Amino acid sequence: MRTYVVTSGRSHASRNHFDVITLITLSDAASHLSRAQLNTEQHDILERLASSAQSVAELGVALRLPVSVLRILLADLMTSGHIATRQRITDTADPTRKLLEDVLAGLHKL
């Protein structure tokens, strides 16, 4: 039930370019935009991003949200102009299994 409420019943993001290693930052205009229409989870995302850029995976772990739900929330925040994305952490087109295992091991240490 919570997932349905958080995403307003949507199961797909309006933008589908958020993979788990995409870096998310606050946009330059974020401090001037109203947050009145944002839900609690979106406020939490913006608070986490206030100190530094974070990957989708890091945000998901920190906020205890499934990536599928997080992608919908991030798409809404991008559409409203609150966030921006940065280039991937790696230079490779596709992450290797070892890289993903290393990231997972690092997230478990949080």
Side-chain angles (χ1 to χ4, degrees), residues 59-98:
L59 287 170
V61 169
L63 300 172
R64 296 182 176 194
L65 290 172
V67 172
S68 58
V69 171
L70 189 56
R71 285 181 176 146
I72 295 169
L73 298 174
L74 291 172
D76 291 346
L77 288 170
M78 181 165 268
T79 299
S80 67
H82 287 89
I83 63 168
T85 59
R86 279 198 189 156
Q87 218 169 4
R88 293 174 150 196
I89 297 171
T90 65
D91 293 332
T92 61
D94 293 314
T96 64
R97 181 177 178 90
K98 176 160 178 13

Side-chain angles (χ1 to χ4, degrees), residues 9-21:
R10 294 171 293 150
S11 60
H12 293 84
S14 58
R15 299 170 183 242
N16 197 18
H17 64 276
F18 297 105
D19 59 27
V20 294
I21 60 174

Side-chain angles (χ1 to χ4, degrees), residues 20-65:
V20 294
I21 60 174
T22 300
L23 281 179
I24 310 297
T25 63
L26 290 178
S27 70
D28 293 336
S31 61
H32 305 293
L33 296 173
S34 171
R35 295 185 179 187
Q37 300 299 322
L38 303 181
N39 64 31
T40 304
E41 290 76 14
Q42 289 169 321
H43 280 278
D44 292 344
I45 291 169
L46 295 178
E47 284 182 31
R48 300 264 331 156
L49 295 174
S51 59
S52 68
Q54 294 191 10
S55 70
V56 173
E58 290 172 311
L59 287 170
V61 169
L63 300 172
R64 296 182 176 194
L65 290 172

